[in-house]
Amino acid sequence: MIDRSAFHKLSSGLYIVCTESHDKFYGCVINTLLQLTSKPFQVSIALNKENATTQAVQESGRFTASVVDETMKLETIGHFGFKSSRDIDKFADSEYAVSASALPYIEKHCCAWFSCKVVNSIDVGTHILFIGEVEESATLDGGHPMTYEFYHSVKGGKTPPKASAYTGEDDEAQKGSAASAQETSSDDGAKKYGWRCKVCGYIVEMDELPDNYLCPVCGAGKDMFERIEL
Ligand code: FE
């Protein structure tokens, strides 16, 4: 048997991976960066084949990875983690720096960054595992690195369906909370309504959303929320 909760015991950090291809910048969030060797310095990252960033890394043969610290807002993580570079320019309104190899990387609310040249890649089914040799790296002024555990338990963050760590349990938890809310509402006979973010699935219990409401997980605006009965 496979106990999905066992995967929650694996500790990892959160990283923003960026690259450039055909004069366009790409970026996404992963929790799958690992140091492999120190002679030479090599790291691995796993990227979902459906991510626009994955194809861009294949084309450019290079990527940067910034280590997210605990101060990074969910909106920033959501901006890079829950939206597609096919749909938006993730760097249009984002502060970023540029590596010696002309790749973008995120400095703000990150505590270190790496720039890598792809030296090998392995097809692992839904994802491609890229092995990168580190060409440049530095620490930044950020605080403690954000662990995936901290992202979930303290920040209340969600796991996107295309992430390696996705198990579908966020969705089940949301259905569970909606079901228990329904039980409560049936007690007093009054229906409860809320709003669900169509980008990341976040549910907020509120009668009406303010016009300037932004999803606390992915940063999507009010127009991306659908009204649901709880
Ligand atoms: Fe959202």
Side-chain angles (χ1 to χ4, degrees), residues 197 199-202 215 217-220 225:
C197 176
V199 178
C200 73
Y202 177 78
C215 175
V217 174
C218 74
F225 277 78

